[in-house]
Amino acid sequence: MNAVMFQVKERTRSNVTAPMIVWAIAMAVVLFMLEARYGERSCVVWAGLGATALLGAYLGWRRRIAATLVAPIVSWLVAWPPLAVAAVLHYGFFKGLFAGLFWITIGWALIATIELSVLLFFATVIKRLRGFSALQDSGVIVFGPDGSQL
């Protein structure tokens, strides 16, 4: 009777949910400030790009580049209510309600594209700079037909 043994090793480096939520809250603040016209526009934009670059670098360091695809969706979910309030503050109640819904829903495609591009760029650059680590202990043991370890 031949026995087969499998050992599964978790490959992900860490959970990136908390940093992604912190980034989404920061982006909600940045987008609120842009929509409500608070603060100097260029400083607010640079703060948003900086926060996005930092999250991208973190995701690249942790080798979690696939999380860059989820991050804009998380950002949209967190930023939706503050952006609706900002549109109402800027345009007035009725016009702000309709303009806010339009820009939050349709205009988000542009914002998500920019976020995704910056996240993906920095994650890829940091991952490449960090290099590929050779797995010292891959967790795979292969036994030959005679029972010897290969």
Side-chain angles (χ1 to χ4, degrees):
M1 177 104 176
N2 293 336
V4 176
M5 178 185 281
F6 293 100
Q7 181 181 10
V8 179
K9 183 177 178 183
E10 187 178 337
R11 292 185 165 238
T12 59
R13 301 283 184 222
S14 67
N15 190 353
V16 294
T17 304
M20 196 178 300
I21 295 295
V22 169
W23 169 78
I25 291 169
M27 289 306 296
V29 169
V30 165
L31 293 171
F32 178 87
M33 290 178 73
L34 284 173
E35 180 63 30
R37 309 283 197 264
Y38 291 134
E40 187 178 334
R41 188 172 178 87
S42 63
C43 290
V44 173
V45 169
W46 280 111
L49 287 173
T52 305
L54 283 174
L55 179 68
Y58 179 77
L59 293 175
W61 184 261
R62 293 293 182 186
R63 291 185 172 93
R64 299 293 302 270
I65 293 183
T68 60
L69 301 173
V70 177
I73 297 168
V74 172
S75 175
W76 182 76
L77 290 172
V78 171
W80 206 94
L83 281 177
V85 170
V88 168
L89 288 175
H90 181 70
Y91 295 111
F93 184 75
F94 289 110
K95 186 177 177 184
L97 207 59
F98 293 109
L101 288 175
F102 175 77
W103 286 113
I104 293 166
T105 306
I106 304 301
W108 196 262
L110 176 65
I111 295 168
T113 302
I114 293 169
E115 288 175 346
L116 181 64
S117 301
V118 173
L119 284 169
L120 195 57
F121 173 77
F122 280 97
T124 304
V125 166
I126 295 299
K127 183 179 177 183
R128 297 275 182 210
L129 289 176
R130 187 170 182 207
F132 298 102
S133 66
L135 295 175
Q136 307 255 336
D137 179 24
S138 67
V140 176
I141 302 171
V142 180
F143 293 99
D146 60 351
S148 64
Q149 187 175 350
L150 298 176

